Amino acid sequence: MNKFDCLIIGSGVSGLTSAIKLAENNLSVAIVTRADDPNNTNTNWAQGGIIYSDDKELVSDIDKASSHTSNITAAKIIEANSKDILTEVLLEKAKTDFDKDNDGNLLFTKEAAHTHKRIIYKGDYTGKQIQVSLLNYLKNHKNVTILTSHTAIDLITAEHHGISLKQRYEDNAVLGAYLLDQKSGKVRKIISKKTVLATGGIGALYLHNSNTDGARGDGHAMAKRAGAFVSNMEFIQFHPTTFYAGSFQRRFLISEALRGEGGILYNSKNEAFMQKYHKDKELAPRDVVARAIASEMIALKNDCVYLDITNKDSEWIKERFPTIYSYCQKKNIDITKQRIPVVPAAHYTCGGVKTDSFGKTNLKNLYAVGEVANTGLHGANRLASTSLLEGIVFGHRASESILDTISEQDFYDESKIREWINGDTEVDLGLITQDIQTIKQTMWNYLGLTRSKARLNRAKAMFSELSDEVQKFYKNAALHDELIGLRNAVEVAHMVLNSSIRNKKSIGCFYLSDS
Ligand code: SIN
């Protein structure tokens, strides 16, 4: 089938939540993922937890963590609606299991920059619990089709086909997407009444990051090419603590919940250094902790700092942080007795495709939800445990908006949309890997935790050259997932660069050493 009422690109928390109400109302829904397993998402790797509270300090905590740049309307929506939406979606429908006390009451924890305990969790694998329970709930709906190993190439728009707005259709409408079926190598034309981008962030474009490989900015690039507004892309949040296993090893997240539960950061001189940087010490906003760690590493010429949770009972540690305990054990660190070597890594994209408070973009029939979207909630920096929350709240609101308007709509005439013409030149996959590596190195070194005019200029020169190259061979190439990723990566790298050049002032997680 190539026609769906709703096409959702991405199978993490925001995409799955968007699908729920649509599926319940008998719309045909396709959920697309380039992974071969729909559970292979950033959501699945989220450890800490999710805010479950409507307390009056929530808006001010979100705003404070963002250096007072948060969109207060979005924050108020979270405060007013998130508890009800989470109750409905997670507790009642998906039956997500969270940790409870002996009387069956939900347990709450705290993370950085929260005035009090308001985060519910499942050990240190909250994201996995949410991911699996949502997917199981949706699998009971026959009108939901999950397309795995399908890479979205481009959104289909009326404009793309030279159909003038007045002539044929309304302003810049999105009509579906072209998808590469990775197994057959064929391109499918999927027509949809509504399209939801839920493709996640761009963390994987950094050499060191806490994300899955899929977080490469496909949604941002497709949206921009189709004419959507993308904003705030300079605000890349670095998580202060990921496991340091050597320069070339991938970074495994060491949840902020460890610091929330009393973990202390030490440098190699055995100093608990955070008090030098912020009155809230380990629980200062993420950008402050991440830069403090980087400063200590530079000052002492060390590769990492250390996180110590050994002050807690060892059985409690194993039960509370089973994933982290077993990961570290495999790396020969017993966290009940030893400090954990940690470094910052790229973690979350605060900006993205600009949306209103129902996930609507400036393009007709195109929604964006979760990390790919910029509702403005996070402004220049994100409060911990708001990412799963934002995905659920705005995914849910997007589905309500879709339901309100979809009945007035017909499918666009498929015959008026051309088939994709695939090139036939085989690309050298080694070259693609090399180009991706160049992008990751450049993002890390010049568009990372600390930026400067000189670094931005260097990045500009590197990306311009790469851009020309990639455009040249993309034109006639036979498509592969990797090539689609590279084309998007170059465009997204430019978005981060251009936003960084435009912003002359350090704020939140954007830090210019010479502003
Ligand atoms: C963490 O567990 O530290 C990540 C939580 C988040 O990014 O909100």
Side-chain angles (χ1 to χ4, degrees):
M1 183 157 116
N2 285 328
K3 264 186 185 176
F4 295 91
D5 291 316
C6 193
L7 172 65
I8 298 175
I9 307 175
S11 61
V13 65
S14 57
L16 298 181
T17 303
S18 308
I20 288 181
K21 265 191 182 290
L22 308 177
E24 288 169 348
N25 282 273
N26 293 320
L27 297 178
S28 58
V29 179
I31 300 174
V32 178
T33 169
R34 54 179 283 281
D36 55 5
D37 174 359
N39 283 322
N40 186 0
T41 63
N42 267 356
T43 297
N44 207 8
W45 284 11
Q47 295 178 355
I50 182 164
I51 293 169
Y52 185 63
S53 174
D54 52 8
D55 68 85
K56 293 291 165 244
E57 279 145 328
L58 185 51
V59 170
S60 65
D61 281 1
I62 291 171
D63 189 45
K64 231 196 280 168
S66 76
S67 302
H68 305 289
T69 56
S70 169
N71 170 1
I72 297 299
T73 308
K76 284 189 172 158
I77 286 171
I78 290 284
E79 182 193 281
N81 304 298
S82 63
K83 201 167 175 196
D84 287 346
I85 296 175
L86 258 59
T87 303
E88 177 187 331
V89 173
L90 295 184
L91 304 183
E92 292 174 0
K93 289 182 177 163
K95 308 236 178 296
T96 313
D97 185 23
F98 292 100
D99 281 353
K100 302 190 184 70
D101 66 16
N102 292 337
D103 298 322
N105 301 311
L106 288 165
L107 289 172
F108 289 84
T109 190
K110 189 171 182 308
E111 288 183 38
H114 286 266
T115 44
H116 56 271
K117 291 187 172 190
R118 53 160 83 97
I119 298 162
I120 56 174
Y121 57 93
K122 180 72 184 171
D124 57 2
Y125 53 97
T126 312
K128 185 174 190 175
Q129 201 66 22
I130 292 176
Q131 172 79 35
V132 171
S133 59
L134 285 174
L135 201 57
N136 281 342
Y137 178 75
L138 282 169
K139 278 182 179 159
N140 294 326
H141 291 82
K142 297 218 165 12
N143 45 337
V144 175
T145 304
I146 298 184
L147 295 171
T148 55
S149 303
H150 278 68
T151 308
I153 308 166
D154 260 318
L155 297 170
I156 301 171
T157 59
E159 271 206 337
H160 266 176
H161 304 280
I163 304 159
S164 90
L165 303 180
K166 287 210 178 73
Q167 247 178 314
R168 283 279 0 140
Y169 209 60
E170 303 177 49
D171 306 3
N172 257 2
V174 169
L175 313 170
Y178 292 109
L179 308 181
L180 172 70
D181 177 345
Q182 294 166 18
K183 298 219 164 106
S184 69
K186 296 218 163 75
V187 175
R188 290 175 66 174
K189 183 172 80 174
I190 302 287
I191 310 297
S192 58
K193 293 181 185 170
K194 306 280 185 190
T195 302
V196 180
L197 285 176
T199 46
I202 70 155
L205 298 185
Y206 280 83
L207 187 61
H208 301 302
N209 67 78
S210 63
N211 293 190
T212 59
D213 291 344
R216 62 185 195 182
D218 285 357
H220 300 75
M222 284 190 293
K224 184 96 195 279
R225 284 195 294 271
F229 300 137
V230 181
S231 56
N232 281 10
M233 289 299 285
E234 72 273 43
F235 299 123
I236 305 296
Q237 183 177 70
F238 287 74
H239 197 289
T241 55
T242 60
F243 191 92
Y244 178 71
S247 300
F248 299 106
Q249 297 293 315
R250 77 160 302 278
R251 304 292 194 236
F252 175 83
L253 187 68
I254 303 295
S255 176
E256 193 151 289
L258 244 95
R259 281 174 281 129
E261 298 285 3
I264 296 172
L265 285 164
Y266 288 92
N267 62 23
S268 60
K269 283 166 54 190
N270 201 24
E271 289 165 349
F273 57 85
M274 272 314 298
Q275 60 215 6
K276 287 194 294 196
Y277 295 93
H278 198 279
K279 67 175 175 34
D280 294 334
K281 301 183 210 164
E282 276 73 11
L283 293 185
R286 276 188 187 168
D287 59 306
V288 176
V289 183
R291 279 197 297 274
I293 292 174
S295 298
E296 293 294 312
M297 285 165 52
I298 291 166
L300 298 174
K301 297 192 173 53
N302 292 147
D303 290 336
C304 61
V305 297
Y306 300 90
L307 181 58
D308 190 350
I309 187 79
T310 59
N311 53 347
K312 291 279 185 184
D313 173 71
S314 61
E315 287 313 306
W316 178 89
I317 294 173
K318 286 185 212 169
E319 200 177 315
R320 178 70 180 84
F321 299 112
T323 317
I324 295 172
Y325 174 78
S326 83
Y327 179 87
C328 292
Q329 209 179 29
K330 281 191 208 121
K331 300 281 175 190
N332 298 320
I333 301 283
D334 178 351
I335 68 169
T336 66
K337 298 193 183 77
Q338 290 167 286
R339 293 178 183 173
I340 311 167
V342 290
V343 285
H347 183 59
Y348 191 86
T349 314
C350 296
V353 181
K354 207 165 165 27
T355 69
D356 70 4
S357 63
F358 285 93
K360 279 198 232 164
T361 70
N362 60 305
L363 300 185
K364 194 167 160 37
N365 301 332
L366 180 69
Y367 291 76
V369 292
E371 194 174 346
V372 67
N374 177 18
T375 60
L377 177 70
H378 311 304
N381 203 3
R382 181 174 69 84
L383 179 70
S385 283
T386 52
S387 56
L388 297 168
L389 184 73
E390 187 189 33
I392 293 176
V393 170
F394 290 98
H396 181 85
R397 287 169 68 84
S399 68
E400 284 181 335
S401 161
I402 290 171
L403 281 175
D404 282 349
T405 52
I406 201 162
S407 60
E408 300 145 21
Q409 232 177 298
D410 283 328
F411 280 110
Y412 190 71
D413 181 352
E414 200 179 337
S415 67
K416 296 204 168 74
I417 300 173
R418 70 164 168 82
E419 299 301 319
W420 183 271
I421 302 162
N422 207 350
D424 52 11
T425 309
E426 274 306 321
V427 290
D428 178 346
L429 290 181
L431 274 183
I432 294 183
T433 309
Q434 195 54 43
D435 287 345
I436 288 281
Q437 241 1 66
T438 303
I439 292 174
K440 287 184 178 210
Q441 295 268 8
T442 309
M443 296 289 281
W444 181 254
N445 290 324
Y446 305 137
L447 290 165
L449 202 47
T450 299
R451 300 172 205 175
S452 67
K453 288 189 193 86
R455 289 179 191 205
L456 297 181
N457 281 336
R458 181 72 68 85
K460 192 174 175 181
M462 306 206 51
F463 290 154
S464 301
E465 196 184 318
L466 205 53
S467 221
D468 291 346
E469 275 304 303
V470 173
Q471 284 311 328
K472 250 187 262 163
F473 66 73
Y474 186 85
K475 267 192 194 144
N476 303 316
L479 283 186
H480 289 270
D481 174 71
E482 291 87 344
L483 179 59
I484 294 168
L486 174 61
R487 178 199 188 203
N488 291 337
V490 182
E491 291 185 20
V492 172
H494 271 106
M495 292 178 203
V496 178
L497 173 68
N498 293 336
S499 296
S500 301
I501 290 173
R502 271 196 300 272
N503 192 347
K504 305 285 180 226
K505 201 174 89 195
S506 294
I507 187 154
C509 55
F510 174 71
Y511 186 72
L512 272 178
S513 59
D514 52 1
S515 63

